[in-house]
Amino acid sequence: MTQSTALAQIIDGIALSQQLRADVARRVNVLKARGITPGLAVILVGENPASQVYVRNKVKACEDAGLYSVLEKYPPDLSEAALLARIEALNQDPAIHGILVQLPVPAQIDAAKVIEAIAPAKDVDGFHIASAGALMTGMPGFWPCTPYGCMKMLESIHFDLRGKHAVVIGRSNIVGKPMALLLLQQHATVTICHSATKDLKAITLQADLIVAAVGRRNLLTADMVKPGAVVLDVGMNRNEAGKLCGDVDFAGVREVAGYISPVPGGVGPMTIAMLLVNTLEAAERAST
Ligand code: GUN
């Protein structure tokens, strides 16, 4: 059987993130005219190679948009007490509006304790319990950058979520759970799938929107997607050749979906753009 369907439209995260970053740069200039420069502190403990790339990109994006940013690198044997003391000092530092501790942290450090030590007003990653609670209850707070970026991507294609069936694959605190809450806030009917889900395909086939956030290559294949569905790929994996790829079999799913975000060039750049937005907003809130 042959089908003459058009390929899915690509949701270009690079182009969209550039627009958002240009908007941040404009708003940074407004704040600077009032004598305020938004500041982000990025803390990296240890030498995880992927983390080193991520933090470098975050700091560079800040500089490009006119924000102030400091990258603090610590050796892998840094004590938890020393890190908590440093966070407390940054909480008190008026030049710093956002604090980000790159995860994962080494085993001697309790990541949950570190996240809870960050002042909620400076929690630009949106990982603090106060931020999670604010998201859950629809109160003002910081949304985690990756799901926030996904919502911006949906907005860019004018996807009206009301009454749509959104299927989120993955239940992490950083992506899956906040993603589901944001979609629910926009009146979608939301299903969260995970490693214990039975017959994933039967569920994804019902979806108008699929967000794949598991970290497994080719988790989502064309036979699992309803024609015309929107597919956002949050995965960051490497194939045998070491090439970056997502959770979605892009070539196959592209022939079925209505819209699809690629990896690289999809959700990744949006995550960084939303970090800038959150840091800018932290500075705006601190100044009013
Ligand atoms: N590690 C992987 N993704 C993230 C993120 O968005 N923020 C932080 N702090 N660490 C991460």
Side-chain angles (χ1 to χ4, degrees), residues 51 54 58 100-104 125 127 145-146 174 271:
S51 291
Y54 295 148
K58 289 172 184 180
L100 181 156
V101 178
Q102 186 66 26
L103 302 178
D125 252 335
F127 294 170
C145 302
T146 299
I174 296 181
T271 296

Side-chain angles (χ1 to χ4, degrees), residues 54-66:
Y54 295 148
V55 296
R56 217 181 302 130
N57 289 342
K58 289 172 184 180
V59 169
K60 165 100 174 33
C62 279
E63 286 168 359
D64 289 350

